[in-house]
Amino acid sequence: MTPFQNTDRRGFMAQALAGSAATMLLAAPARAAASPAGFGPLKHVRTSLLDIAYAEVGPADGVPVLLIHGWPYDIYTYADAAQLLGALGYRVLIPYLRGYGATRFLSDATPRNGQQAALAMDALDFLDALGIRQVIVGGCDWGARTACILAALHPDRVRALVSVSGYLIGSQAANAKPLPPEAERRWWYQYYFATERGRQGYAANTHDFARLIWKTASPGWAFDDAVFARSAAALDNPDHVAISVHNYRWRLGLAEGEARYDAIEAKLATFPAIAVPTITLEGDDNGAPHPQPQDYRAKFTGPYEHRTSKGGIGHNLPQEAPQDFARAIVDADRMAGR
């Protein structure tokens, strides 16, 4: 069922969101609960390239919400936020990206390509395979870039956008320009991956590498071993290292993309504006490379709001501050005309 067919449920949700139950669900302790939520059995859907594993939370006839994770994270970025949104009647869909979890390529001959256009087309193909016409889309890290691409190039498919760290669409030409020294230092792993030593090092120490990124990107996040291990298991995908390394090498022009995505990349290289209703989010203690809100404000030409989550919230904001993220999804939905 598409969102255009959900008028009765929308009316119910509008009333529910004004009530005390929703206020309690989205009341804002800034950090996730000590015992985080989980998912039920994963579902699978096939596209032309992938068998995509995904979690689904909430009623099947709810307004669809697509949540896209990043690197080196996984679908559990959204475990707690998804439960909040599902309780409010949204249908929350959280796929494993190519190279993560139980998602698999259908053919050994398909390039293990991590360029931004490939990941964005995966998301669009995922929606098509499920017969979903329009969604609210949210993302963090790689997922925020994909969410921005969908909103910029396919605004008819995106009801509203929530993007952690704002406008993240890039291009090889832009990435060729040097940054100030401190900014370059924060990208150390990108240059590590540019070498064969880096590829081998990541393959040999994937979990330790990911833990280091988690700690430096979110220095105030006191995640425990169980929380990390649950997500690190997704990095054991046989294509994970190849996808990760290609993603960062492609950004620097050190690896080729696929010709099938050339037209998309040409559009993205113009840094298209995003006109759909949008809320951008940022943590006040984000240790990962990220743009400043004032630097991307002009890229959002429709209804727009920026919010900063406070209290030591780092890069993985949806998992560190799930109430803040869930509230942004709900409020972006309202901005779109709920």
Side-chain angles (χ1 to χ4, degrees):
M1 181 177 293
T2 71
F4 302 111
Q5 297 170 296
N6 274 332
T7 53
D8 290 341
R9 178 171 291 278
R10 284 188 171 190
F12 169 77
M13 286 176 61
Q15 295 177 15
L17 288 168
S20 60
T23 300
M24 291 176 63
L25 280 171
L26 297 178
R31 296 185 179 277
S35 299
F39 296 116
L42 294 179
K43 298 183 177 183
H44 287 257
V45 67
R46 285 196 168 197
T47 68
S48 62
L49 298 179
L50 297 169
D51 181 307
I52 298 177
Y54 68 100
E56 182 168 348
V57 177
D61 61 345
V63 175
V65 178
L66 174 64
L67 302 181
I68 311 171
H69 72 82
W71 173 90
Y73 305 97
D74 81 326
I75 63 173
Y76 287 99
T77 289
Y78 301 105
D80 294 291
Q83 298 299 328
L84 294 170
L85 293 168
L88 293 175
Y90 289 95
R91 179 190 181 190
V92 186
L93 304 160
I94 315 168
Y96 276 113
L97 302 185
R98 54 170 63 194
Y100 293 79
T103 291
R104 295 290 187 273
F105 286 92
L106 300 180
S107 171
D108 290 340
T110 304
R112 274 34 180 181
N113 178 357
Q115 73 181 104
Q116 62 180 355
L119 295 169
M121 284 306 302
D122 287 349
L124 200 62
D125 290 345
F126 174 75
L127 296 178
D128 288 344
L130 292 177
I132 296 174
R133 173 62 187 165
Q134 191 181 56
V135 294
I136 302 164
V137 62
C140 183
D141 194 80
W142 288 15
R145 180 173 295 105
T146 296
C148 287
I149 292 171
L150 292 182
L153 300 188
H154 302 280
D156 59 317
R157 305 296 297 273
V158 177
R159 173 174 170 80
L161 169 67
V162 173
S163 180
V164 178
S165 296
Y167 186 95
L168 296 181
I169 295 173
S171 75
Q172 289 179 321
N175 289 336
K177 299 175 182 177
L179 300 171
E182 176 59 25
E184 296 284 21
R185 183 187 68 82
R186 288 175 176 248
W187 282 112
W188 68 269
Y189 52 87
Q190 180 170 245
Y191 304 115
Y192 183 64
F193 287 161
T195 69
E196 177 58 19
R197 177 189 177 98
R199 186 196 66 76
Q200 291 185 20
Y202 189 52
N205 304 288
T206 308
H207 287 202
D208 288 343
F209 198 104
R211 185 186 287 271
L212 176 62
I213 295 296
W214 280 36
K215 286 181 176 179
T216 56
S218 299
W221 183 25
F223 59 88
D224 61 25
D225 289 344
V227 167
F228 175 75
R230 182 181 63 175
S231 290
L235 311 183
D236 295 332
N237 182 292
D239 298 307
H240 176 74
V241 172
I243 295 294
S244 300
V245 170
H246 184 270
N247 176 284
Y248 287 103
R249 290 183 179 180
W250 179 87
R251 296 189 199 194
L252 294 178
L254 301 176
E256 295 290 332
E258 290 180 77
R260 71 170 77 188
Y261 302 120
D262 285 352
I264 298 173
E265 294 294 354
K267 292 178 182 177
L268 297 177
T270 69
F271 301 104
I274 293 174
V276 304
T278 298
I279 294 176
T280 57
L281 298 173
E282 189 58 84
D284 65 346
D285 196 20
N286 184 357
H290 62 279
Q292 295 303 308
Q294 63 270 22
D295 294 337
Y296 54 71
R297 171 62 186 91
K299 303 309 297 182
F300 298 99
T301 59
Y304 175 78
E305 182 180 344
H306 177 77
R307 299 175 181 178
T308 299
S309 291
K310 300 190 182 214
I313 303 302
H315 185 62
N316 192 19
L317 186 150
Q319 192 164 359
E320 299 176 60
Q323 292 86 356
D324 291 359
F325 185 82
R327 182 177 292 280
I329 292 288
V330 172
D331 291 345
D333 187 17
R334 286 172 168 172
M335 288 167 65
R338 167 75 60 190

